[in-house]
Amino acid sequence: MVISADLYIILPELFLAVLAMALLIYGVFRGDKAANSVSWFAVAVLVITAIAISMLPDGEQTPFRGQLVIDQFATFMKWLVLLGSALAIIMSINYNERENIQRFEFPVLILFASLGMLLMVSANDLMSLYVGLELQSLSLYVIAAFRRDSTKSSEAGLKYFVLGALSSGMLLYGASMIYGFAGTTQFDKLASLFTGPNADPGVGVIVGLVFLLAGLAFKVSAVPFHMWTPDVYEGAPTPVTAFFAVAPKIAAIALLVRTMVGPFGELFDQWQQIVIFISIASMLLGALAAIWQTNIKRLMAYSSIGHIGYALVGLAAGSEEGIRGIGVYMAIYLAMNIGTFCCILSMRRQGMMVEGISDLAGLARNQPIMAAAMAIFMFSMAGIPPLAGFFGKLYVFMAAVNEGLYLLAIIGVLTSVVGAFYYLRIIKIMYFDEPVEAFDKTAGREVGAIMLASGIFTLLFFVFPAPIVGAASKAAAVLFAAG
């Protein structure tokens, strides 16, 4: 009976795993001509999984003897992950067909990566954390190099694999250190060990925690573990880059938050200084390194590093308000990035993809709607009110100020001002530079619809922010109630 109850709790993940394997078998028998249908089936599977997650009973559930935890924080973050994955598959359908890399394995790999992400978000043990992380990573290594006849794509996959293996080794070493000195890998037991006036974590646990943080920092591409990001973003096919920019980042941030606030919440003084350092370093690098970029995908890579730095400000605050800020920030980050990558996917001239920032010159005259959408996303990323990006930053900076982290908040605001330069430069190129040859109008209705929906969300978030802010508040409250 216990096993059946546990299986019921993880029914959405089981459904996703079984259907992913079924689609794999279907694709094997039908061949690559099934790629289109498999893609749409995969989107349907992700949507049904998200609905199933919402239908689970309220309250915290810890199936399989506490290996996993299902709560409102997990539900909120899983919804964002599944939405990001579904949109990435939809964006890839036309692109893969035009680029002649239409394979049925692509959506199946995204499904398996999404399954790993769902396990990451619900991890309640260092072992389940690692299993979820590796299930996600193995799929990501393959889709980074999905365009097999492209040297750039193969190089992106190889770099991601080698550096990812190194980070996994660091994370596993940290987990083994923690287990060796604490005697347990379960989050709940670790939290109880470090609670109380006589609790002494010891040097071994602190060293293990540093290695664990280093491994997780790689997964969110925070400085100084960001070195893979620009090359992988540039080399991977554009829909893959869009996927990398959203779903894995959201899952890794959720895992980082749960790991730090849950089992190591009592060691806040030890890990706060590390989080502050990587947050400041990520904001600075994201703001400064992007200024000299000429390739828009590389610019988005540095932009994502900067955004992760802003999100980590909320974690550095270590408060319920800070975690709420992270939830709101990641929801807005998802919309802004997906919308921007829809614009990048539309940058096609004479049947060929172009990625230079200078290729956007005069876009406002040739394609005013696309230019307006791109302008909305750029203004939002720069944090210009009243767009959604402004509120994302406002929530995390206010959390830092309320916890007395004035210097961190000031650095965040200043790097936002510096970063605004390269976002505004794109708008200047689109609206004021002499027009170059117009882009082909063949991006596809799906990409256009996603671009429009993302633009409306980003533009009008301030009118009705309650659903996102309310869900993020409930998600944060659960973590601190448990702590």
Side-chain angles (χ1 to χ4, degrees):
M1 282 298 291
V2 173
I3 291 294
S4 61
D6 287 349
L7 290 178
Y8 171 72
I9 294 166
I10 63 153
L11 209 54
E13 285 82 357
L14 284 176
F15 172 78
L16 181 56
V18 170
L19 266 291
M21 289 186 279
L23 285 176
L24 180 61
I25 294 166
Y26 171 74
V28 167
F29 282 104
R30 289 291 309 276
D32 287 334
K33 62 185 177 183
N36 231 346
S37 56
V38 171
S39 294
W40 285 112
F41 275 131
V43 172
V45 168
L46 291 168
V47 171
I48 295 167
T49 304
I51 294 168
I53 286 168
S54 300
M55 292 172 69
L56 288 172
D58 289 338
E60 185 179 297
Q61 316 270 349
T62 51
F64 302 106
R65 298 183 180 178
Q67 287 289 312
L68 300 172
V69 59
I70 313 295
D71 54 20
Q72 288 199 294
F73 178 78
T75 302
F76 179 74
M77 288 299 186
K78 283 178 182 180
W79 257 88
L80 295 183
V81 165
L82 292 169
L83 179 61
S85 300
L87 293 176
I89 293 175
I90 294 169
M91 288 163 66
S92 73
I93 294 171
N94 274 337
Y95 176 91
N96 288 354
E97 196 172 346
R98 284 198 305 263
E99 297 292 316
N100 202 26
I101 54 170
Q102 200 175 25
R103 308 272 187 279
F104 75 87
E105 294 96 334
F106 183 85
V108 173
L109 284 165
I110 289 186
L111 288 183
F112 282 122
S114 302
L115 176 62
M117 291 175 217
L118 298 190
L119 294 176
M120 284 165 62
V121 173
S122 283
N124 197 39
D125 187 290
L126 292 172
M127 299 306 291
S128 53
L129 175 156
Y130 185 72
V131 169
L133 204 59
E134 286 308 292
L135 177 57
Q136 172 214 247
S137 298
L138 290 171
S139 301
L140 298 186
Y141 300 150
V142 179
I143 60 171
F146 203 73
R147 190 187 281 147
R148 290 174 296 189
D149 56 352
S150 164
T151 310
K152 267 184 159 181
S153 185
S154 301
E155 182 189 345
L158 188 61
K159 279 182 178 173
Y160 194 23
F161 171 67
V162 172
L163 293 169
L166 173 66
S167 79
S168 294
M170 291 169 69
L171 188 141
L172 206 52
Y173 179 71
S176 63
M177 287 277 287
I178 291 165
Y179 174 65
F181 283 88
T184 181
T185 56
Q186 273 202 300
F187 285 3
D188 298 340
K189 290 179 181 174
L190 284 169
S192 62
L193 277 176
F194 306 138
T195 306
N198 300 319
D200 179 22
V203 177
V205 169
I206 301 301
V207 172
L209 181 58
V210 170
F211 275 97
L212 191 71
L213 257 174
L216 292 174
F218 176 91
K219 300 302 179 185
V220 296
S221 67
V223 177
F225 305 100
H226 65 285
M227 65 293 288
W228 59 274
T229 315
D231 293 332
V232 172
Y233 273 44
E234 184 182 2
T238 304
V240 174
T241 309
F243 177 58
F244 279 10
V246 289
K249 288 275 173 73
I250 293 167
I253 278 282
L255 178 61
L256 187 59
V257 168
R258 191 182 286 285
T259 309
M260 292 301 107
V261 173
F264 303 109
E266 292 296 320
L267 306 183
F268 177 64
D269 293 339
Q270 275 80 13
W271 57 257
Q272 184 194 31
Q273 53 198 314
I274 302 172
V275 173
I276 289 173
F277 168 75
I278 61 176
S279 173
I280 291 173
S282 299
M283 290 189 292
L284 285 170
L285 185 101
L288 297 173
I291 291 172
W292 291 276
Q293 299 305 316
T294 55
N295 181 291
I296 194 158
K297 283 165 73 176
R298 285 186 79 86
L299 182 140
M300 289 302 295
Y302 286 109
S303 168
S304 78
I305 293 168
H307 283 299
I308 289 301
Y310 298 124
L312 289 174
V313 171
L315 181 58
S319 63
E320 189 176 317
E321 187 186 359
I323 306 307
R324 181 193 68 177
I326 292 175
V328 174
Y329 198 98
M330 296 319 289
I332 292 168
Y333 171 83
L334 168 68
M336 294 188 302
N337 270 266
I338 283 291
T340 304
F341 276 102
C342 284
C343 295
I344 295 170
L345 274 171
S346 305
M347 291 171 62
R348 180 176 287 275
R349 194 171 284 140
Q350 295 176 5
M352 300 289 290
M353 289 293 296
V354 289
E355 297 172 1
I357 293 170
S358 58
D359 290 308
L360 291 164
L363 183 65
R365 288 179 231 180
N366 297 326
Q367 287 177 249
I369 295 174
M370 179 180 159
M374 190 70 159
I376 288 169
F377 300 130
M378 293 299 104
F379 276 130
S380 181
M381 286 190 181
I384 307 293
L387 299 172
F390 167 76
F391 293 97
K393 290 178 181 175
L394 179 68
Y395 280 112
V396 290
F397 291 161
M398 285 303 294
V401 168
N402 290 339
E403 293 300 315
L405 300 173
Y406 303 114
L407 183 61
L408 183 61
I410 290 167
I411 291 171
V413 171
L414 292 177
T415 52
S416 287
V417 173
V418 175
F421 167 79
Y422 56 83
Y423 295 126
L424 299 179
R425 185 180 56 152
I426 290 175
I427 296 168
K428 173 254 177 192
I429 288 169
M430 291 192 301
Y431 280 88
F432 299 108
D433 282 16
E434 281 302 310
V436 290
E437 188 183 345
F439 293 138
D440 303 344
K441 296 189 177 180
T442 56
R445 282 176 297 179
E446 298 92 350
V447 170
I450 295 169
M451 190 193 304
L452 180 65
S454 302
I456 291 170
F457 175 87
T458 306
L459 184 63
L460 300 178
F461 174 81
F462 72 96
V463 176
F464 194 50
I468 299 289
V469 177
S473 297
K474 288 178 183 174
V478 163
L479 288 185
F480 283 86

